[in-house]
Amino acid sequence: MIILKPQGTEVSLSANTTVANSTLVRVINTGALGALTFANAGVTYANLTVSNTQYVVVQKAATDTLQGSNMLAVPVAWKN
């Protein structure tokens, strides 16, 4: 079991955001099937599909941004 510890306030990913410059982020899709996009310096380098009501925990560089329609994100720490 993974235990997540929120490290801030949940934010919308409707626009590119660094999610408080965090490196570990929990993202939940609150709408229809959608793509989570990763970018660095404005250049998209990856994306992944997040199903409706599914959440994922992603690792990224502090300066990387995330974007996704109907998605919320919060910086987290974890314990395994």
Side-chain angles (χ1 to χ4, degrees):
M1 174 169 66
I2 295 175
I3 300 169
L4 299 176
K5 180 179 180 184
Q7 300 291 301
T9 305
E10 209 167 48
V11 296
S12 171
L13 294 182
S14 58
N16 286 328
T17 178
T18 64
V19 191
N21 294 322
S22 58
T23 57
L24 195 61
V25 181
R26 187 208 72 163
V27 177
I28 186 166
N29 183 352
T30 61
L33 183 72
L36 175 63
T37 302
F38 297 74
N40 185 290
V43 178
T44 298
Y45 69 86
N47 61 38
L48 65 99
T49 300
V50 182
S51 298
N52 180 23
T53 68
Q54 176 186 13
Y55 83 87
V56 295
V57 178
V58 297
Q59 186 173 11
K60 65 178 196 61
T63 57
D64 288 354
T65 60
L66 298 175
Q67 193 276 330
S69 296
N70 300 311
M71 295 191 196
L72 299 173
V74 64
V76 295
W78 67 278
K79 180 177 181 179
N80 194 349

